[in-house]
Amino acid sequence: MTHEEKRAWIRLVAAVAGYAVYAVIVGGRMAERPVGEVAYAGVLLWTVGGGIGVAIVAEIVLGAVNPRASRAIDVRDREIARFGEHVGQSFVVIGAVAAMLMAMAGWDGFWIANVIYLCFVLSAVLGSVAKIGVYHGSFPQW
Amino acid sequence: MVKPTRVTNRIRALRFAHGELTQAELAERIGVTRQTVIAIEQGRYSPSLEIAFKIAQVFGVPLDDVFQYPGSSEETT
């Protein structure tokens, strides 16, 4: 497994785990009080920051556990990275458009923030899955 | 529809014909990772022209001795 494939796995797990923690905490709070009163901003920021932090620490630990493993990146790794970003970007656009429409329609900030966060997570997940898929298979050719 | 590449190659045969050159050694000589050589050899990745020429150079053969494309022989004759 190349260094870049390991990083794709780490980012996938960090994104899913971070959002799972957020969903459990905020979902629990939503059951207790109306949506407009649910405190979500702190949890959202902590899980986003925590996900990034966990990914960085995991990469450092991976390097420390196996220091002789190659960290080389070649042209195929760069092509796969570009492909993954391209695939994941669709959800960033969907999230931005959805948030814009929800703001124009006067939706509560809770829902706008959550749809943006969800689309960021889906973008990271889809991009990572696409990268891992190409590492194990081949580039799609239409 | 996702389709694998139609480009085939003789890298494995050429490696063995050149003193059982390992995938790692070939990768080092053409400046890519071993995983990329494996992907090229298995037909899961079509390399750039530059990498293709580097591979041919390592084996000292023309490009079309390394890589083949279906129908290319009929088109050129």
Side-chain angles (χ1 to χ4, degrees):
Chain A
M1 191 184 293
T2 66
H3 180 66
E4 287 301 297
E5 186 184 348
K6 289 173 193 165
R7 289 182 69 194
W9 274 107
I10 288 169
R11 288 175 187 180
L12 173 64
V13 172
V16 172
Y19 191 75
V21 169
Y22 173 80
V24 168
I25 295 173
V26 174
R29 290 178 183 176
M30 283 173 73
E32 294 168 359
R33 64 197 71 175
V35 166
E37 297 172 17
V38 172
Y40 69 92
V43 187
L44 195 156
L45 293 173
W46 273 107
T47 50
V48 169
I52 294 168
V54 164
I56 292 169
V57 170
E59 284 181 29
I60 292 168
V61 169
L62 207 65
V65 167
N66 192 1
R68 292 198 307 171
S70 172
R71 299 171 76 88
I73 297 171
D74 67 9
V75 62
R76 177 168 166 262
D77 291 311
R78 286 192 287 274
E79 284 178 25
I80 291 173
R82 274 200 299 273
F83 175 70
E85 300 303 323
H86 179 74
V87 169
Q89 196 187 13
S90 58
F91 273 98
V92 175
V93 175
I94 291 168
V97 171
M100 182 181 71
L101 294 174
M102 290 162 80
M104 289 162 75
W107 283 52
D108 191 277
F110 173 87
W111 292 115
I112 295 172
N114 274 281
V115 81
I116 293 172
Y117 185 26
L118 177 62
C119 286
F120 278 161
V121 172
L122 290 176
S123 169
V125 169
L126 198 68
S128 297
V129 168
K131 287 178 195 174
I132 293 164
V134 174
Y135 273 115
H136 286 268
S138 59
F139 278 97
Q141 295 179 4
W142 289 277
Chain B
M1 177 68 184
V2 177
K3 295 177 290 186
T5 177
R6 294 178 69 200
V7 178
T8 58
N9 67 80
R10 296 181 53 243
I11 295 174
R12 187 176 167 79
L14 287 164
R15 281 197 301 107
F16 280 90
H18 285 75
E20 302 204 358
L21 189 71
T22 65
Q23 291 169 329
E25 286 166 343
L26 176 60
E28 195 180 338
R29 289 176 69 173
I30 62 173
V32 300
T33 62
R34 188 173 66 88
Q35 286 79 8
T36 294
V37 168
I38 293 169
I40 294 170
E41 201 170 292
Q42 292 177 347
R44 293 189 289 109
Y45 175 63
S46 295
S48 65
L49 261 182
E50 194 169 345
I51 292 177
F53 273 111
K54 282 182 181 175
I55 295 170
Q57 263 179 1
V58 167
F59 296 124
V61 295
L63 194 61
D64 57 4
D65 274 8
V66 184
F67 295 97
Q68 296 80 40
Y69 192 76
S72 57
S73 58
E74 292 92 25
E75 285 165 15
T76 53
T77 53

